Amino acid sequence: MQTKGRSRHFIYTDWILIETQFDPEQLHSKETVFTIGNGYLGTRGSFEEGYPHALPATFIHGVYDDVPVVYTELVNCPDWLPLIVIVNGDRFRLDQGEILSYDRQLDLRQGLLIRALRWRSPSGNTIDISFERFASLADPHVLALRCHVTPVDFEGLIEIQASINGYPENQGFNHWEELDQGKINQGIWLQRRTRASRIELGMAAKMTILGTEAPLQVNTAPGYPSLSTTFLAKTQQTVTVEKLVTVFTSRDIETPVSAAQEKLTHLSDYATLLKAQRQAWDEVWQQSDILIEGDSTATFAVRYNLFQLLIAAPRHDDKVSIPAKTLSGFGYRGHIFWDTEIFIQPLFLFTQPAIARNLLSYRWHTLPGARRKAAHYGYKGAMFAWESADSGDEVTPRWAIGSDFYGEDVRIWCRDREIHINADIPYAIWNYWQATGDDEWMQSYGAEAILDAAIFWGSRVEFNSEQDRYEIRGVIGADEYHEFVHNNAFTNRMAQWHLEKAIAVYDWLAHKFPERATELEQKLKLTPEERSHWQDIIAKILFFYDPLTELIEQCEGFFQLEDINLADYEPRDRSMQPILGIEKTNKCQVLKQPDVLMLLYLMRESADFPYNEKALQTNWDYYAPRTDITYGSSLGPAVQAILASDLGKSTAAYEQFMQALMVDLEDNRGNTNDGIHGASAGGIWQAVIFGFGGIQLTKNGPVANPHLPPGWTRLKFKLHWRGKWHDFDLHQGQVAQDITRQLEFLQLSLSPDPPNSHSQVSEHQTSPPASPASPASPAPSSSSLPATHNPNIQGFIFDLDGVLTDTAELHYLAWQKLADEEGIPFNREANEALRGVSRRASLMLILRDRPYSEAQIEEMMERKNRYYVELLQKMTPEDLLPGAIALLDELRQAGIKIGIGSGSKNARPVLEQLGIMDKVDAIADGYSVQEPKPAPDLFLYAAKQLGIKPEQSVVVEDAAAGVEAALAAGMWAVGLGPVERVGAAHIVLPSLAGIKWADLREQLSNISRQKQ
């Protein structure tokens, strides 16, 4: 896949994604990234006012329709977003006029998308416009949008038009027939029906204007009903527009139009709906959140990937499932793959099992389609579609049109040959049953799917009488680079595993629900001879495996294929298949995604054959170097991250994890415009929980054997198992976290600070080790020194601002701009008081006793940070202060570890802009600890990351608060700047220019001797 290497203009906080600049070239991929939804529908992050060539879309679960002859696809539903602002005759659009400031935020905690900008019209009128929208999680049929407009430098007419666009397209095809539309007392409505599937949709909308007198007019242009108003706007006067929308389909209710109208009539105002939205999301995050400390990027990005799956998960419908691209894009036409069962479902299985049950019930509802597919190919039982839509019939396109207009179309063989999905779905059903103990669902739904799919295998295998073995020939395995192979290890072993479990399910059913067993025997024509046949297949299926080395051959003859070295093709920006060509790739030992390793992963939890540690190591060594992990399938990196973690390959595990984690945020495969990589997002959850958290499922419940990545100081999450919640709070170096009360008591009793007898500790919570932010011994006074005659210095911790680079000037300029906008006096002299002070504390010093609400304070902090980041993006290595690089290089050559201790949340971007990330061993930034300087927490955290003791650390600071923090941590302090500011440091220097490590070491030794 072609990739694009350019800035995404993103800032990540713990919960909020911030886009700082609009880039038209990234329009479509950003529309995907800023998708919102509520489990009923998803709406791409398109602009309310529109943009040329945009791809706005709202997808509703289960609303499929046919493109005649070609394919079935999830339908783009009528667009509820349109809100047009016209300023003195100039229509607001980002491709016209001038963008003076821009900020777009996706708030994961609330499911809220916000965009704020300042725009100058072609006529020269400047206006502040902000948009805010959400799809209600509290009521899936409700959508809400709010807009604020504030003229900055003019008075004039502003017109607002709020519409429903009844002409949505699926990239050139409109699936909707016009039925009716009209107006009601409070708004407008639209009625549409899909052309082939005959699904009816009703949508209604109303608009409210706050802040001025503005009468509404209704325009019912065909297919585009609108509400509009015009008012005289005054300078600095804010007018608010609220647009509320309701939507139903005939899948939900018999009369969707009247349902939409009725709900709209009784709908609360925007503020009330937003409050309900926050409460609903709070409940979801209580179950599903993952807390990571020590890695600010992962903290946000893990939550982002979870969010994209949470908004795509059907909460109230068991006849739909999550498409491969979720509800966020046109990729794969909204079809459902094995991605859902193997990669996505585990998140819900262990956090919201009712949703996991819905996803699996969908497969039961599609059994008729699976039976039709089996019969079409001449087999018995149920043959699940490789790509499924509403009915379960195969919807994989037979042909793909190539990019070369004169080239041949490409045959898509997955529909015929990639049959391992027939075992993947039973695998997910079995795991649901094991994790929930839901016998009622299993006997009513799951058992039938497992047994009927097993009947398929009985008819699909071929008996090789010469070898007295069963074969499965002519398939595509999990590795899709090889399109016609025999006895693929993944397929054969999964089929064998499936038959083993089918026999177990039948025996359980016959024992516990004999009437249901008899019913299924008759319905499926399941005879004793069939079950005996399954036993024979289990015993005799071919599996190419060396019992001495435990190396598994991916498929028959794989080891005889041409072996190539992927490194010989670097650098590259696309997958190996287009480089080699389809035929050449088929003849080489190069993989699209891990096939044998994927098998080992699925057998890992239960330690079923062929999984064991030796087999994993042997097959990793062989197959990992042959896997096109960077540009092949997005399904691979998360799985390899887990297995690498099992093998103790922490660097490789983290690299693969980050590759999966940032696939959409960084668009590192160049195809985010098609939609979210749902399987990768689900794999991320598994990598964190099963990989880094080391969760193993025992008969008594989940047990954690954590091996956190370097830098992660804490990992906290909860899992639902057999009707109970299990809380895990994991830390670096922590012993295995068991679920038994005896071990919990032992762990608590050994804790440095055990809870008192009145404390309530969760059943599966271990008390964490003493935090580096709270040392057990009292902090030394500012006059204390590390107790040693000859300091054994092992590491240096540098502040950023005023030490390695002069970002203090950028902070000053950002604060100055904010102060000017707010009309607050501020100058360089006042800025001196802000050195080493947190953002909030700095703002409070600037505001003094001026009254501002907490919301206004939060907004000003974000605004100042936005200004700072804009300035920061212009930094280069030339902005390093004199002497910085020379000292860093000298310390590294001397074997001294180097850390950064900066209270800024932008420390990492600064280091990247300066080009010195490779010179730093650890970073402690504004995300790392709660208490800012002068508390010692930040430097203690940095020392722990470096693996050194406080007394072995030297802190280099330019602020009094930083020096005080270093001394409180029991570290050596080097102060840069005037004595009146940093005179409490052990050594005071004007700057780093000309400073040598040998000179510093000698001075510190002299000071130590003098103090003894």
Side-chain angles (χ1 to χ4, degrees), residues 587-741:
K587 298 175 182 177
C588 294
Q589 292 189 45
V590 57
L591 315 182
K592 179 179 180 181
Q593 65 193 44
D595 190 309
V596 169
L597 296 180
M598 186 72 207
L599 172 64
L600 290 170
Y601 173 61
L602 295 186
M603 296 296 123
R604 166 183 180 268
E605 191 56 55
S606 56
D608 279 348
F609 175 83
Y611 181 85
N612 62 59
E613 290 185 10
K614 180 182 177 183
L616 176 57
Q617 183 69 65
T618 298
N619 288 281
W620 174 278
D621 291 344
Y622 191 87
Y623 287 106
R626 293 166 170 82
T627 302
D628 186 6
I629 201 67
T630 306
Y631 300 110
S633 171
S634 64
L635 280 60
V639 170
Q640 290 206 178
I642 299 170
L643 299 179
S645 189
D646 284 354
L647 293 170
K649 301 177 181 291
S650 58
T651 300
Y654 187 73
E655 287 177 355
Q656 298 297 327
F657 170 74
M658 291 302 293
Q659 185 179 332
L661 187 66
M662 307 305 290
V663 65
D664 291 312
L665 288 170
E666 293 184 350
D667 194 13
N668 58 33
R669 290 175 179 266
N671 60 357
T672 297
N673 55 293
D674 291 334
I676 291 295
H677 291 79
S680 183
I684 284 296
W685 184 89
Q686 296 186 57
V688 173
I689 304 303
F690 298 126
F692 301 143
I695 290 295
Q696 295 176 320
L697 303 172
T698 73
K699 63 180 181 180
N700 294 319
V703 176
N705 293 289
H707 23 90
L708 306 187
W712 288 24
T713 56
R714 187 184 187 193
L715 174 61
K716 184 180 180 182
F717 55 89
K718 60 168 54 176
L719 300 176
H720 195 268
W721 171 269
R722 298 271 173 152
K724 295 175 61 178
W725 284 103
H726 303 256
D727 291 293
F728 294 90
D729 198 346
L730 311 177
H731 298 257
Q732 279 285 3
Q734 187 172 339
V735 297
Q737 197 178 82
D738 199 299
I739 57 90
T740 62
R741 289 185 179 275

Side-chain angles (χ1 to χ4, degrees), residues 283-554:
E283 293 176 9
V284 170
W285 284 119
Q286 284 291 324
Q287 298 172 321
S288 305
D289 185 32
I290 293 177
L291 172 66
I292 297 169
E293 292 182 357
D295 187 338
S296 56
T297 299
T299 299
F300 171 80
V302 166
R303 284 172 171 154
Y304 175 82
N305 280 273
L306 296 183
F307 174 82
Q308 288 296 341
L309 294 181
L310 291 169
I311 64 175
R315 286 169 167 72
H316 311 291
D317 192 342
D318 69 355
K319 295 181 181 179
V320 298
S321 188
I322 300 176
K325 294 294 185 181
T326 65
L327 298 177
S328 62
F330 296 93
Y332 295 123
R333 309 290 172 182
H335 297 169
I336 291 96
F337 293 69
W338 71 312
D339 303 31
T340 307
E341 283 75 26
I342 298 300
F343 294 90
I344 296 174
Q345 192 228 22
L347 158 66
F348 299 105
L349 174 57
F350 293 104
T351 63
Q352 298 173 72
I355 292 177
R357 183 176 63 244
N358 284 346
L359 297 175
L360 294 173
S361 295
Y362 160 80
R363 293 296 190 179
W364 180 85
H365 286 296
T366 63
L367 276 173
R371 290 166 182 145
R372 287 190 289 270
K373 180 180 178 180
H376 170 79
Y377 284 96
Y379 302 122
K380 297 178 181 178
M383 182 182 183
F384 284 107
W386 177 245
E387 297 182 31
S388 180
D390 52 347
S391 68
D393 290 285
E394 184 62 71
V395 292
T396 307
R398 190 176 297 276
W399 298 93
I401 301 173
S403 57
D404 181 358
F405 183 77
Y406 295 101
E408 295 291 328
D409 292 343
V410 178
R411 178 72 159 85
I412 302 176
W413 289 108
C414 300
R415 60 182 288 135
D416 311 280
R417 301 173 181 170
E418 195 155 0
I419 58 175
H420 60 79
I421 191 171
N422 231 57
D424 303 332
I425 292 169
Y427 179 90
I429 293 172
W430 176 269
N431 284 343
Y432 170 80
W433 188 35
Q434 298 304 299
T436 63
D438 189 350
D439 289 357
E440 182 59 34
W441 182 89
M442 189 64 176
Q443 65 95 8
S444 298
Y445 298 89
E448 182 175 358
I450 286 179
L451 294 172
D452 211 11
I455 291 171
F456 162 80
W457 291 119
S459 65
R460 178 61 175 83
V461 299
E462 301 173 38
F463 185 67
N464 184 325
S465 56
E466 292 183 5
Q467 298 187 48
D468 192 27
R469 288 287 184 268
Y470 287 95
E471 302 181 273
I472 304 178
R473 302 176 63 81
V475 302
I476 298 174
D479 162 37
E480 294 172 338
Y481 277 172
H482 299 86
E483 295 187 324
F484 190 83
V485 302
H486 306 315
N487 298 308
N488 168 254
F490 184 93
T491 305
N492 284 24
R493 175 59 183 122
M494 288 298 292
Q496 181 189 46
W497 178 94
H498 179 188
L499 293 175
E500 293 167 353
K501 295 303 184 273
I503 291 172
V505 167
Y506 174 81
D507 291 344
W508 166 80
L509 205 61
H511 174 70
K512 194 164 184 179
F513 298 97
E515 291 182 1
R516 178 61 172 162
T518 301
E519 179 186 346
L520 288 179
E521 284 175 353
Q522 296 172 352
K523 180 178 182 179
L524 306 180
K525 298 181 175 57
L526 180 55
T527 64
E529 291 75 19
E530 182 74 45
R531 297 194 298 278
S532 177
H533 183 41
W534 293 352
Q535 291 280 18
D536 201 37
I537 296 169
I538 292 169
K540 297 179 179 179
I541 196 163
L542 265 172
F543 189 82
F544 294 97
Y545 164 80
D546 185 335
L548 295 178
T549 64
E550 304 203 41
L551 180 63
I552 301 164
E553 189 169 17
Q554 178 172 301

Side-chain angles (χ1 to χ4, degrees), residues 80-91:
W80 63 277
L81 290 179
L83 190 76
I84 294 170
V85 180
I86 301 174
V87 181
N88 273 339
D90 290 326
R91 178 173 171 175

Side-chain angles (χ1 to χ4, degrees), residues 602 612 811 838 898 972 984:
L602 295 186
N612 62 59
H811 283 293
S838 71
I898 297 172
W972 299 92

